[in-house]
Every structure is written in C-alpha cells, then in structure tokens.
Amino acid sequence: MSFIITSFLGLICILNFHQFLKAEKLDVYIVHVDPSHSDDLDTFYDSFLPTITNVAADSTNSTTDRPRILHRYRHVFSGFAAKLSAADVEAMRLKKGFVSARPERVLRLLTTRSPSFLGLNQNTGLWKNSNYGKGTIIGMVDLGVEPSHPSFADGGMPPPPAKWKGECQFRAGKGACNNKLIGARFLVPEISPPTDIEGHGTHTSSTAAGNFVAGAGFFGNANGTASGIAPLAHLAVYQACENTTSCPESAIGAAIDAAIDDGVDILSMSLGGQLHPRFADDVLAVGAYRAMERGIIVSAAAGNAGGSSSVTNEAPWFMTVGASTTDRRITVTAVLGNGEQIDGETGKGFPSIEKLELVYPRGRGGNRACLGQLDPNIRGKIVVCQNGLLVDGIGSGMAVKAYGGAAVIILNTKYEGDTTYDDPNVLPAMQVGYVDGLKIIEYLDSTPNATAAMLFKGAVIGNNQAPVVAEFSSRGPSRVTPGILKPDIIGPGVNILAAWPVSVENPTNTKSRWNIISGTSMSCPHLSGVAALLKSAHPDWSPAAIKSAIMTTADQVNIKGNPIEDEQLHTADVFSIGSGHVNPTQANDPGLVYDISPDDYIPYLCGLNYTNQEVGIIVGRKVDCAKVKSIPEARLNYPAFSIVLTGPTNQFFATTRTLTNVGKPNSSYHVEIGSTAEGVFVEVKPEVLFFQKLGDKLSYNVTFTVIRSTRKVTNTTTQTQGFIAWTSADYSVRSPIAFVI
Ligand SMILES: *[C@@H]1O[C@H](CO)[C@@H](O)[C@H](O)[C@H]1NC(C)=O
Ligand SMILES: *[C@@H]1O[C@H](CO)[C@@H](O)[C@H](O)[C@H]1NC(C)=O
Ligand SMILES: *[C@@H]1O[C@H](CO)[C@@H](O)[C@H](O)[C@H]1NC(C)=O
Ligand SMILES: *[C@@H]1O[C@H](CO)[C@@H](O)[C@H](O)[C@H]1NC(C)=O
Ligand SMILES: *[C@@H]1O[C@H](CO)[C@@H](O)[C@H](O)[C@H]1NC(C)=O
Ligand SMILES: *[C@@H]1O[C@H](CO)[C@@H](O)[C@H](O)[C@H]1NC(C)=O
Ligand SMILES: *[C@@H]1O[C@H](CO)[C@@H](O)[C@H](O)[C@H]1NC(C)=O
Ligand SMILES: *[C@@H]1O[C@H](CO)[C@@H](O)[C@H](O)[C@H]1NC(C)=O
C-alpha cells in the first residue's frame, strides 16, 4: 500500500530545452494562500494564475489558457488545486498572499453479520436508544455509489434535516437521490459521473448506513438480512477517486470542502497510502482538522500495510480504525488421512469431497506456490499450495484447476498468520492459517500416501476467538506523532458482506448484489456508523468526546473472554488494537469522557515543532508558536497514552488529564493502574475523583518513571504497555498506555 511519488519535473525541463519550449508539462498543484489579503476569494485565487500560458500542454483543453483551476477550496483550507508548470509556480511564489505549493499526491482506497456481532439488534439496546442513527448524515469520501441498490432505497427514511445544503449531481439516467441517499457529488473531473463500477464506495456506504435488506448472501452463504451500522442515518457520497488505486488529493480536498459546506455530521474516509506525511503536507489531515473544527467526526482507515509503524492517518483529530475478524467463517473442514480435522475458509460452497490423494507439488524453481507450470500428476487430486506474494488464493486455485486438480488447500505464510479470506475460488478450495498449515505439512511429510476429504460446512457463526486482528491491519507506533497512540480502535474489517453494484455470482442477476471483501476500508465505515449512532443519541457531544466514549469503553477480550489476539494468535498489543475492539452499546454510556476543543491542538502542533506557517495551514489562521504555550504531544487530553522515554538514564514524564462527567451525578471514581513492564512506574494523583454534577470537569496528574537500574535490559528500546482505568459503581473508563522505553 505504499506509494512512490515521483516527480518528473527535472526530466521534463531537459526535454523542454531540447524541444525549444514546445510545451510545458502541467502538474496538479495544491496551493495554499493567505486569504487575509482579499475579500473576494475567487478573484484572489485567479490572481495567482499565469495570465499568459503555454497552450497545448493540457490535453483536455488545448484551446484555452484558463483551464487551470480544478478546485477552489473554501472550508478545507484557503487555496486551490490547479494545473501548473514549474515556471508558473515560481512566478506564483512572488505574489502577495502566497503560502505554499506542491504537486498533489495520489492516494488509494484501502480495500452481515457485523451489526449483530457488535451487539446491535433490532428494537433493543443502542439501536433503539439512538433511533438507528436517525437525523445524522454520513459523508462518504470514496468511489461513489450504485444508487439502485436496495441498501440505498428510500423506504421509511425521514427527510434530511433542515441544515442539509447538499446537492445531487447524478447525470440524468445515472441515478437519483432520495431520503436515504441525500447527496452525491463527483469531484474527479476527468471521468463522467458514473455509478460505482468497482464497488468499493457501494460497499463502504452500505456498511455505514445501508437499509435493512432481506435476502442478502454470497454464493448461497452467509444468508440473512443485511444492514448498515446506522440504518436510519442519511448518506451523502463524494466521489474523490477514479478507481481504487487513484484518489487525487485535489479531489479529496474538494470532497471534504463540499461535505463541510453541505452539513454532514460524520466523514468516512477509507483511503490513505501516503506514508507518514507531516500534517500540513497532507490534504486529508488538514481537511479532517477543518471538519473536526465544525463538529464533524472524521473516521479514517488505519491502512492495510500491517507491520510495525505502518499506520496512516495519524493526526489526533482522526478516529483511526484498524481491522479485525468477526465470529462468522464460511467453513471448510479438511479431514486428513490420519483423522486429524483442520478448518479453513472459502467464499464459495461445493459438494463435499470424499477421500482423495493429497499432494504438495513443487512448482518451477522448487517453490511451493501454485504458479506457472505445475506437475501434471496433480490431476484429480487435492493440491496443497503455499500462499504468497506472487500468487494469491484465487490465483492458486486457477492454476490448479487448469491442470485438472480436484481441489486446493491454500496455506498461509507465517506473516499472514491466521487471517483467511472468504474468496470466490474457482474450484473447491479452503485457505488455512499458518499454524494449521504446518499440521498439514507435517502430515504430508509423515506418509507417502497422504489423503484428505473436504467437507463444506457453510457459514458458521460463533467463532469464540473473534475478534482477531487482521494480518493487514496497520500498526503503531506512529512515526509522525509518537506521543499519540495509533490506531485508536479496531472494528470488523475481515470478510465483510455488504452491497455491491453487480451480482458477483451472476452478472445478469440484479437481485442479489453483495460481496465479501476485507480491509481497513471496511472497518472504517463500521466506526463511522457507530459515530452516527452516538451523535444521534448525544447531539451535543464534540467529535473528541464521541471518540473518547468509543475508545474508553472498547473491549479487551474476545468472545471467549481471553485477551484479543493478533493474526499470529499472540495477545495483541496496543500498537495493533489501540484502545481495543469497539463496543457500541458501552460507548453510548461511557461515564466520563476526555474532551478536546479544536484550539487545544494548537499547543500540541507547536510542540511537534511545526513552523508557524505549517500550523497556520492546518488551523486556518495565523499562529505564532512563540506566543503559544506549547506542550509535548503526550500532554494532549487524549483518551490513550503513548509515552516515549528512551535513553540510557532514568526517565520521567508528567502530564495532567481532564475528565468530563457525562454519566451520573454524585459519582465517585477510583483509579486502577495496570503496568506490566519491569522498572516502569505509573503514579496517579488524586486516586479518587468525585463528580457532583453532570458536565463537571476534574483533572488528575499522572507521572511515568523509568528506573534503568531496575531493568535487566538497559540499553535496548522496548515496547510495552499498561493502562489507567477510572472505575465507579457503574462505569469503567479505560485508557491504554503504550511505552517505548
Ligand atoms: C475548453 O475551454 C473552453 C473555455 O473554458 C470551453 O468552452 C470548452 O468547452 C473547453 N473544451 C474542452 C474540450 O474541454
Ligand atoms: C441461501 O439463500 C440461497 C438463495 O435463496 C439459497 O439457495 C441457499 O440455499 C441459502 N443457503 C443457506 C445455507 O441457507
Ligand atoms: C486508475 O486510474 C489511474 C488514473 O486515471 C490510471 O492511471 C490507472 O491505470 C487506473 N487503474 C486501474 C486499475 O484502472
Ligand atoms: C502407499 O501406496 C503404495 C501404492 O499404492 C503402496 O505400495 C504402499 O504400501 C503405501 N504405503 C503406505 C505407507 O501405506
Ligand atoms: C521539539 O524541539 C525541542 C527543542 O529542540 C525538543 O526538545 C523536542 O524533542 C522536539 N519535539 C519533537 C516532537 O520533535
Ligand atoms: C448529590 O448529592 C447532594 C449532596 O448529598 C444532593 O444534595 C443532591 O441532590 C445529589 N444529586 C443527585 C442528582 O442525586
Ligand atoms: C497536579 O500538577 C499540577 C502542576 O504540576 C500541580 O499544581 C497540582 O497540585 C497537581 N495536583 C495534584 C492533585 O497532585
Ligand atoms: C547494548 O548491549 C549490547 C549487548 O546486549 C552490547 O553489545 C552493546 O554494546 C550495548 N550498547 C551500548 C551503547 O551500551
């Protein structure tokens, strides 16, 4: 999911020289300006454009010298996106009010059982209390939507709230809005307003706020009634991507700008791909700040890169969402010749296979991936294939089928661990986790005449190991802001069944249009839906309060009651789960919240040593950090702690946190401290907080001390964890602590 951003400017200059200034290459630049120099933004923005330009370079319009501005931003930041040459930018730098310009980057999308898995059931509990998210508007920055899907039908939806100012820009015949789908804007200029051909936007939109639709399923499996997390919330779609791998920053900025203006309550952004940009240099982060400032909750995908320090969308004003499994698995059981039974997953059912020969052929080059030329002897057999970078499960199945194999068992690599997918395989197939794969190999090694049967069991609900962190879910520590723990939360993102523009099984069948896909793209809209439920139940809560409620009430244990595990089936650490797995019902009644007002981020940004200009770009006005009492990152009133205390000597860090009572009057909370690391001490003062009234704010001090002499290993950097929980008769308000020491 990483991106290499290449600038060809140097090369183009040379070409231009040799071609005698024939045509200058134009790139899309993101330009920031200082609006205090003008009252009329349009005229002001235009004043930065070159008056005479080299024509012919812009292939989409070679007859004009003013095709330049793609988007004029008003809310997301002061500036515009325009097609410019390097020389144009140089000329612009001299103009009054110029702040900065850089070529845009291109991001990408981070590609139902989940509501009831999250404890949401019709006519009871949170769904009832929050009225299913009624009255809230979720803005989806994505690929658009297929409006004809029943998930987006009008049925039973009230009209949008009076504050809604959005528009419906479907081209005639391409769709229409209604009380569910209240807005649609298309911000990518090069493509005509399409429906969502690739499906990603349809899937994420229906996950956040799709209607109840009976008869959902995938190849006859996982049958049931599908619904989004906030089935009575309204949806507004902002198409900012050309396809799943191309979301230009200029369009993302325009999408956020329009969403702020239109009046959305929640922004759902299942996209990313830029690794560790400074916030001022990241349209997503700046846009999310401006949205947050207007009271909009911004839920964003953590990324699909897996591995340490891979998390994206790191700014503290994002709700950054990692991905985990649900308790539903479309299950196949392999019965090995020695009687051992091993479970795996597939997306497509098949008549169970009686005992057949089981083989593990070597491909060309001796590797065990089923790729290219295979041994013709696999005909009629069950073939074991190593999953890998070069070929995935579906590809392995295609290769085995081409050679006449009867079925395929796909073994995960160690890295992929236990994360398996409900893929629509082309022949009877199952994918098994790494540890189970080792058992199959052990059996193959034990006998020259290995056999297996494969029994298809369909969707099995109740896997009590769930939720398990997905192999691909990106992790902390954050590179950009190590003093903030990221991701914030995990939610369902593996094998998620949701709406699709076409039927995956049968393109001519327009009735059953569903697909099962995975990614933090899928977990993000789950949390957007939860935010809508909370916003509907607590319209006066700030974005930070809603995020705090979600974080401090998150689950630490799986259905079985054991600590949540990662794909390696080890206890998951705070860098993979953040504050834990979302528990919407608990989040609705958290007792206390850690609130943050937009201005609180200014001392934090100055403390990150951002320049005044950078801070100004983010917050949208002039800031002089010399006059701001800046704070270290970890002093932000965040609902989690990330404490970096490296160095050869004893270390000490102190901070104050403030809690706001949103639970019950006259409640007394006492602190509980969990710290597992040797030589690390956490002290909280006072140890008891008494809140008399609702809305009361009380502070506590916490100090973190690392005493080197009591640590056996003194000179290596260690990641470890603990927690601080405030507990009353009715509530437990828990914050994880991540230590890098
Ligand atoms: C080029 O720009 C002119 C002026 O804005 C516009 O009238 C014309 O339709 C454009 N042509 C194309 C091919 O986009
Ligand atoms: C799911 O629904 C399809 C279509 O109605 C049906 O053919 C199939 O048998 C059902 N599967 C299960 C497991 O109930
Ligand atoms: C996605 O869009 C970009 C930009 O138009 C294009 O270069 C790329 O080939 C497209 N990718 C796919 C998979 O269609
Ligand atoms: C494996 O099969 C071969 C040929 O059918 C047979 O000769 C041999 O005894 C078998 N070996 C074992 C260990 O069952
Ligand atoms: C900011 O600069 C100060 C002073 O040089 C330094 O102590 C601090 O560690 C820096 N903070 C970050 C986040 O880089
Ligand atoms: C809280 O306690 C005070 C003092 O005991 C009492 O006067 C007040 O009525 C209580 N408030 C509530 C809402 O119970
Ligand atoms: C918390 O810390 C502040 C500043 O260091 C101090 O003034 C205050 O007395 C402390 N409060 C407690 C309860 O220790
Ligand atoms: C850290 O410890 C390792 C052995 O554990 C040692 O080789 C290394 O020299 C030590 N480094 C320092 C800076 O003390």
Side-chain angles (χ1 to χ4, degrees):
M1 197 211 55
S2 60
F3 255 85
I4 299 164
I5 290 120
T6 322
S7 166
F8 292 107
L9 285 179
L11 180 60
I12 283 147
C13 288
I14 295 166
L15 281 177
N16 277 349
F17 178 76
H18 285 294
Q19 295 173 7
F20 299 102
L21 302 173
K22 195 173 162 194
E24 261 189 296
K25 166 91 159 46
L26 301 184
D27 288 317
V28 176
Y29 278 77
I30 304 287
V31 183
H32 290 268
V33 300
D34 177 355
S36 65
H37 290 265
S38 166
D39 291 335
D40 175 7
L41 275 183
D42 278 347
T43 318
F44 184 55
Y45 289 170
D46 283 339
S47 75
F48 288 90
L49 296 181
T51 44
I52 302 163
T53 61
N54 303 314
V55 285
D58 180 13
S59 58
T60 60
N61 195 329
S62 57
T63 61
T64 171
D65 60 357
R66 306 300 307 266
R68 301 306 198 84
I69 291 197
L70 298 177
H71 298 287
R72 298 160 185 276
Y73 305 115
R74 276 155 216 289
H75 307 289
V76 73
F77 52 80
S78 297
F80 54 89
K83 290 186 174 178
L84 299 167
S85 69
D88 295 335
V89 174
E90 283 318 305
M92 218 162 58
R93 285 184 201 282
L94 305 174
K95 297 195 174 163
K96 206 170 169 184
F98 175 85
V99 174
S100 70
R102 62 170 175 83
E104 77 166 343
R105 303 190 183 88
V106 177
L107 308 189
R108 57 173 298 158
L109 294 164
L110 303 165
T111 193
T112 313
R113 163 106 186 116
S114 30
S116 59
F117 176 65
L118 293 179
L120 298 170
N121 295 296
Q122 287 197 53
N123 305 320
T124 61
L126 177 56
W127 259 356
K128 191 168 169 224
N129 294 335
S130 68
N131 220 341
Y132 303 86
K134 193 170 175 178
T136 59
I137 304 165
I138 305 178
M140 307 294 304
V141 181
D142 209 297
L143 249 183
V145 74
E146 172 47 59
S148 71
H149 198 280
S151 289
F152 312 118
D154 206 31
M157 286 294 296
K163 67 168 182 172
W164 175 245
K165 290 198 296 170
E167 286 180 25
C168 189
Q169 299 174 340
F170 286 113
R171 208 175 259 176
K174 290 281 177 101
C177 290
N178 57 33
N179 286 335
K180 165 57 73 180
L181 186 59
I182 60 174
R185 291 184 187 265
F186 301 89
L187 291 317
V188 187
E190 271 77 14
I191 49 178
S192 64
T195 51
D196 171 24
I197 292 163
E198 285 184 61
H200 189 278
T202 301
H203 201 276
T204 54
S205 299
S206 68
T207 299
N211 291 318
F212 291 99
V213 184
F218 187 61
F219 292 100
N221 297 306
N223 287 356
T225 296
S227 98
I229 298 298
L232 283 192
H234 305 280
L235 282 166
V237 300
Y238 297 87
Q239 186 190 40
C241 304
E242 297 156 284
N243 55 46
T244 48
T245 56
S246 176
C247 309
E249 270 188 307
S250 55
I252 295 169
I256 302 173
D257 207 62
I260 292 173
D261 207 31
D262 291 351
V264 307
D265 298 299
I266 289 116
L267 264 176
S268 190
M269 305 207 288
S270 290
L271 39 83
Q274 191 184 350
L275 277 182
H276 315 306
R278 289 166 80 83
F279 303 147
D281 210 16
D282 177 4
V283 166
L284 240 70
V286 174
Y289 183 93
R290 301 299 182 84
M292 172 278 297
E293 217 177 8
R294 311 288 183 97
I296 299 168
I297 303 144
V298 185
S299 170
N304 293 346
S308 183
S309 283
S310 56
V311 66
T312 181
N313 298 326
E314 294 153 273
W317 48 85
F318 282 114
M319 174 161 63
T320 310
V321 188
S324 49
T325 61
T326 71
D327 64 343
R328 185 195 65 213
R329 303 182 79 195
I330 302 180
T331 304
V332 180
T333 302
V335 183
L336 306 180
N338 63 3
E340 195 167 6
Q341 301 204 356
I342 292 188
D343 283 348
E345 270 188 282
T346 186
K348 226 165 152 179
F350 51 87
S352 291
I353 294 174
E354 299 293 324
K355 195 158 128 179
L356 287 178
E357 224 178 297
L358 182 70
V359 294
Y360 192 25
R362 279 188 194 280
R364 212 169 30 181
N367 71 54
R368 301 288 204 174
C370 293
L371 179 70
Q373 272 178 324
L374 299 183
D375 182 344
N377 279 330
I378 68 174
R379 180 166 293 278
K381 298 174 185 168
I382 297 176
V383 184
V384 177
C385 301
Q386 183 66 58
N387 210 4
L389 281 177
L390 293 174
V391 60
D392 64 3
I394 295 180
S396 305
M398 289 163 115
V400 168
K401 189 178 182 188
Y403 279 80
V408 64
I409 299 179
I410 299 140
L411 308 185
N412 271 2
T413 59
K414 183 163 185 359
Y415 182 80
E416 293 162 330
D418 202 50
T419 305
T420 52
Y421 301 102
D422 295 343
D423 283 334
N425 297 295
V426 297
L427 80 171
M430 65 190 285
Q431 184 179 4
V432 302
Y434 176 68
V435 173
D436 287 332
L438 293 181
K439 291 181 197 158
I440 293 176
I441 292 170
E442 196 181 324
Y443 165 64
L444 282 160
D445 286 346
S446 74
T447 168
N449 299 343
T451 63
M454 278 166 69
L455 314 178
F456 179 71
K457 294 189 172 164
V460 176
I461 288 168
N463 177 4
N464 63 7
Q465 215 169 356
V468 177
V469 180
E471 151 264 316
F472 57 76
S473 186
S474 288
R475 286 144 218 229
S478 166
R479 285 266 170 77
V480 189
T481 180
I484 301 291
L485 178 61
K486 290 281 169 176
D488 292 304
I489 189 83
I490 56 170
V494 182
N495 299 324
I496 302 303
L497 174 77
W500 204 246
V502 293
S503 166
V504 182
E505 310 163 36
N506 170 5
T508 59
N509 172 356
T510 54
K511 278 227 171 89
S512 181
R513 292 179 286 164
W514 306 95
N515 199 1
I516 290 181
I517 54 176
S518 303
T520 52
S521 269
M522 281 65 247
S523 55
C524 167
H526 277 89
L527 268 292
S528 307
V530 172
L533 297 178
L534 298 190
K535 178 83 183 173
S536 186
H538 308 283
D540 56 326
W541 285 8
S542 71
I546 287 179
K547 189 169 102 174
S548 173
I550 290 172
M551 288 171 66
T552 61
T553 57
D555 288 336
Q556 308 303 312
V557 295
N558 59 26
I559 298 176
K560 214 191 287 182
N562 293 339
I564 292 172
E565 293 174 339
D566 63 19
E567 78 288 346
Q568 300 299 324
L569 303 180
H570 300 144
T571 297
D573 67 14
V574 286
F575 296 110
S576 57
I577 65 170
S579 51
H581 186 261
V582 60
N583 182 329
T585 305
Q586 297 287 334
N588 190 41
D589 191 15
L592 307 171
V593 293
Y594 293 89
D595 207 354
I596 304 175
S597 71
D599 281 354
D600 294 339
Y601 292 107
I602 294 173
Y604 156 85
L605 288 167
C606 291
L608 270 178
N609 297 336
Y610 279 20
T611 63
N612 289 343
Q613 180 178 309
E614 285 178 308
V615 179
I617 285 176
I618 297 163
V619 307
R621 58 180 190 275
K622 278 207 159 53
V623 171
D624 182 356
C625 281
K627 293 186 182 141
V628 171
K629 202 164 171 289
S630 67
I631 56 164
E633 305 157 71
R635 286 212 184 121
L636 190 66
N637 197 40
Y638 211 69
F641 297 87
S642 183
I643 306 299
V644 182
L645 290 174
T646 51
T649 56
N650 293 346
Q651 304 279 321
F652 171 83
F653 181 80
T655 179
T656 302
R657 288 284 198 273
T658 302
L659 285 158
T660 307
N661 185 17
V662 296
K664 293 183 175 151
N666 289 341
S667 37
S668 181
Y669 288 81
H670 69 270
V671 74
E672 186 191 344
I673 299 168
S675 172
T676 52
E678 171 191 80
V680 178
F681 302 91
V682 181
E683 192 180 22
V684 173
K685 271 186 187 163
E687 291 177 3
V688 175
L689 294 173
F690 179 74
F691 294 86
Q692 202 170 13
K693 297 195 298 290
L694 283 180
D696 275 0
K697 288 178 186 287
L698 292 176
S699 296
Y700 66 91
N701 292 343
V702 51
T703 57
F704 303 93
T705 312
V706 178
I707 305 292
R708 295 286 157 195
S709 56
T710 62
R711 290 177 54 73
K712 287 195 194 87
V713 184
T714 53
N715 83 346
T716 54
T717 300
T718 312
Q719 293 175 2
T720 175
Q721 62 192 67
F723 67 88
I724 291 175
W726 290 93
T727 306
S728 74
D730 303 293
Y731 301 103
S732 178
V733 183
R734 185 185 189 279
S735 296
I737 311 170
F739 293 104
V740 176
I741 52 178

